[in-house]
Every structure is written in structure tokens, then in C-alpha cells.
Amino acid sequence: MNNLRVVVWGLGQHSLNKILPALVDTPGLEMYGVCSRNKDVVASTANKFRCKGWLDPRVMLFDDNIDVVYLSTPIGLHFTHGKMILLSGKHLWCEKPLVSRLEDACTLTDLALAKSLKIAEGYMFKYHPHFQQFLQFCKQGYIGPIRSATFRFGIPPLANPGFRTDPALGGGAFLDVGCYPVAAALEVFAGTPYSLRYSDITMKQGVPVDTSGRAVIEFSNGAEANLEWGINCSYRNEIDVWGEFGGIYSEMIFSKPPDYQPYFIMSDQNGRKTKVFSVAENHFKIMLEHFRCLTLDATGATDELAKIRDRAKLIELIKVAASV
């Protein structure tokens, strides 16, 4: 398989600090270029990585040498930008969530299928051995049938929140951090029919975007998922699963530095606890390796499109039920 030539569109702190370093360190990918409206950032980044740089995405998309565009612009622009990328004949790898509306997710995934292109959504935690090991513990029956699972992700105030405070650009707690518990719940209970029992998305007076929320999902097998999220709050980043014969708890499940060694607290039926370690990895690099493989895996790529629509469906259900 030849190297895929990748352009990163959007040069905020996340892409500069996390995506670009992982991309250049991933075998089979070539850092072909970067695109942003910020002239100084484009110049310095292109010089640092010895790649091309564009200020105008329309000009960038005319370059037929590009195989993939990694989209890291604000969430509220993903649909318009993503459509431009697909119409130009490039694969689309996009920061989570791909879009904020189910209708838009269906439009992009249908367009990708029609043009034989691939879309992948950047939920990096899914690919880390930490989360994969967690899924195996659940599937192997160590804790028996799951009674309930709690997914929490909350972050303290950011020094430079950027678009996250602008509702027109997709800012707010739900789309920024609440989408992680949504994605995790759908992975843990994959393929199990569900109904949304409760959702709430909270806005504080004087704040232009939502700041916290929670949702309760009831699955057809009797299990329940509790999702909680927030911004400008104390830090939480954890999963806690209660089964008939035991439990599994782990922190740092959604986001972690590459050198962090994750661990699980495993409880048996009598409450005795055992600590089980996982391995340290760069989940952005593993994610990009997976995305690269999808370009040659038609079945895997189709499955990813279905999961994108499933996540968009639950995100929309939660928003509508909360009247947001």
C-alpha cells in the first residue's frame, strides 16, 4: 500500500499538538500539507513539517495529489467543509463529532458511498488498547450481565476555549465532550436496541453555550447507561460498569497522554478488588493507523459509516428530548 498523502485543514491547538505529531509518526501516511486562514500559523507549520501550506481551502482541494483531508475546523463548519472535501474526491477524516445533525450525517455518508470515498470520525479513545481491553472484559463475562454503566467526561475551564464558546460554530459541552460518553455507550452495548429514558442539557445564565448535561438510556437487555458531561467543572474522565457478578472501573478512559499507563479496578461479587494494568499508547497514532486501513477495507469502511449514523442518531435524540 502506497503512502497516503494527507492534508490537515484547521490548525488549532488540538491539531498542532496532537494530530500533526501523530500523523508524521504513523507509517503509511505522508504529511502533505496544512490549511488554515491564519497566515503565520500556516507558514510556521509548513516550515516545521516541510510540507505545503494553503490559506484558501478551495485552492487546496484542487490539488489532485491529496488522498485524504483531516478536518479539524470548528464543529459547526464540519458539514460544509466535509461536503467540499468529498465533492473534491478526497477521503474525509474528521474530528468528532462529524456533524451536529443526523440529516447532515446521512447526507455526508450517502455522498461518500456514491463517490466510493471513506469517512472516519475521530473518537481516538476507541482505538486505544485501554478501551479495547475494557470491551473484552465486558464481553468475556467476567462481571456477568451488565446491570448499569456510567460514563462521565467533564473538563475544567480552558485557557483558550476558542470556538467552544460560540454556538454558531458548534460550541458547548454536549458536542465537545458529551459526544464521548455517547460513543462509548454505543460501543459497550453495540447492536442492542435502546430507548432514551431521560436527557437534560443545561445552560447557565450569561453563558452563550450549554455547560453540562446527562442522559439515561435503557437497553432491551435490561441494562441502563448513565451519561454525564460538562465543561468548566471539576475533571472527570471515567467508566464504571456494574454487573451481576462484579464490576469494572477505569479512569482516563476518553483522553490520556501517550505515556500514561491505564489500569482497571476489577471487583468480584463480594467486592474484592484487583488492579489490572493496560499499556501506554498514543491513541491518535493508533486511530490514524486504523483510518489508513479503512481506505482498503470496504467492509470496515461501511461499518464506520453505519456507526457514524448511529452516533448522530443518539446525539440528535438527546438534543431533541432536552429541547436544545
Side-chain angles (χ1 to χ4, degrees):
M1 180 179 180
N2 295 328
N3 284 355
L4 292 175
R5 295 177 291 269
V6 183
V7 167
V8 175
W9 180 359
L11 297 176
Q13 291 303 305
H14 174 73
S15 59
L16 290 173
N17 297 332
K18 305 292 177 60
I19 301 303
L20 293 177
L23 197 159
V24 299
D25 198 33
T26 302
L29 300 182
E30 176 187 337
M31 184 67 206
Y32 186 76
V34 293
C35 182
S36 171
R37 296 177 301 171
N38 190 313
K39 181 179 179 180
D40 293 337
V41 174
V42 168
S44 62
T45 306
N47 181 64
K48 177 180 179 180
F49 292 99
R50 298 182 180 180
C51 64
K52 292 190 174 186
W54 292 271
L55 297 177
D56 188 337
R58 292 167 296 182
V59 176
M60 177 266 291
L61 291 172
F62 272 115
D63 190 330
D64 292 332
N65 292 315
I66 299 169
D67 297 305
V68 179
V69 177
Y70 190 103
L71 186 59
S72 190
T73 57
I75 296 165
L77 303 177
H78 283 179
F79 175 67
T80 300
H81 292 172
K83 190 174 182 180
M84 290 171 61
I85 292 166
L86 294 172
L87 287 174
S88 74
K90 279 78 173 171
H91 300 301
L92 169 60
W93 299 349
C94 187
E95 278 299 320
K96 54 75 204 166
L98 175 65
V99 287
S100 58
R101 301 194 312 158
L102 176 59
E103 179 183 356
D104 292 342
C106 292
T107 297
L108 292 184
T109 53
D110 287 347
L111 180 58
L113 286 169
K115 295 181 72 66
S116 298
L117 294 168
K118 308 300 189 295
I119 301 179
E121 193 172 22
Y123 287 99
M124 71 290 184
F125 76 92
K126 289 177 34 180
Y127 307 100
H128 198 289
H130 184 197
F131 188 71
Q132 290 299 311
Q133 192 173 349
F134 172 79
L135 292 180
Q136 286 302 310
F137 284 144
C138 292
K139 293 175 182 177
Q140 288 169 357
Y142 175 84
I143 62 172
I146 295 175
R147 296 169 57 94
S148 67
T150 299
F151 307 81
R152 293 191 181 97
F153 197 17
I155 60 174
L158 299 175
N160 298 296
F163 78 90
R164 294 171 179 83
T165 60
D166 188 341
L169 294 178
F174 183 41
L175 291 180
D176 190 25
V177 296
C179 61
Y180 284 95
V182 167
L186 290 176
E187 291 291 323
V188 172
F189 298 100
T192 308
Y194 66 84
S195 59
L196 180 65
R197 200 167 75 189
Y198 172 82
S199 74
D200 176 63
I201 296 178
T202 303
M203 298 186 67
K204 292 183 178 179
Q205 187 173 2
V207 180
V209 296
D210 60 286
T211 55
S212 64
R214 62 185 298 264
V216 180
I217 304 166
E218 189 171 307
F219 292 87
S220 61
N221 60 4
E224 179 180 279
N226 301 289
L227 284 53
E228 299 179 65
W229 61 88
I231 57 174
N232 304 334
C233 60
S234 62
Y235 190 70
R236 284 291 184 275
N237 179 1
E238 60 194 15
I239 289 183
D240 191 356
V241 177
W242 182 18
E244 291 291 338
F245 310 138
I248 309 171
Y249 170 83
S250 191
E251 60 183 9
M252 302 295 284
I253 195 76
F254 298 118
S255 179
K256 60 183 74 68
D259 59 352
Y260 175 79
Q261 184 175 19
Y263 63 90
F264 305 92
I265 302 297
M266 314 289 289
S267 303
D268 66 15
Q269 198 165 29
N270 295 311
R272 290 187 292 263
K273 293 180 171 55
T274 304
K275 182 179 283 191
V276 178
F277 287 92
S278 187
V279 296
E281 291 281 1
N282 184 331
H283 46 196
F284 293 106
K285 180 181 176 181
I286 300 173
M287 177 185 75
L288 291 171
E289 290 173 345
H290 179 80
F291 288 178
R292 175 179 174 269
C293 292
L294 287 181
T295 60
L296 289 180
D297 179 3
T299 301
T302 301
D303 182 59
E304 172 68 3
L305 294 182
K307 288 186 175 183
I308 287 171
R309 291 190 291 266
D310 288 343
R311 290 188 288 261
K313 177 183 176 182
L314 183 50
I315 284 173
E316 186 149 301
L317 283 173
I318 291 171
K319 286 173 58 181
V320 170
S323 300
V324 173

